[in-house]
Amino acid sequence: MSSIWSLPEPMLATPTRDPTLHPGHAAEPKWDGYRAVLGRWPGDRVLIRSRSGGNLTAAFPEIIAAASQLPDDTALDGVM
């Protein structure tokens, strides 16, 4: 039986007036760039999908090459 795996939806930032971090929460600076999710499947299949669902894979060959070192069934969410 084969499993079906798909990319999760990107996590979106929530603006706040109070920068105090409560226990169990984390924050990071907002950088300009493309918000995207990277997925790696068995057989060296890698996909980078934009927040709106567009395929950005061809635009980032260096990231695709580096993603070959990730374990199968890995998903990363971030800004490129």
Side-chain angles (χ1 to χ4, degrees):
M1 183 168 127
S2 66
S3 63
I4 297 173
W5 188 81
S6 60
L7 289 173
E9 291 300 314
M11 295 173 60
L12 301 178
T14 304
T16 181
R17 291 183 184 271
D18 180 5
T20 303
L21 290 178
H22 302 283
H25 289 86
E28 62 185 29
K30 163 72 172 88
W31 301 101
D32 284 339
Y34 296 102
R35 182 60 182 253
V37 176
L38 177 145
R40 185 182 186 298
W41 290 268
D44 290 332
R45 291 184 15 202
V46 178
L47 171 70
I48 300 174
R49 186 183 73 197
S50 73
R51 180 176 149 183
S52 63
N55 187 340
L56 299 175
T57 307
F60 298 97
E62 298 87 356
I63 294 174
I64 298 303
S68 69
Q69 299 175 47
L70 296 170
D72 290 345
D73 299 329
T74 295
L76 302 175
D77 178 12
V79 177
M80 300 182 186

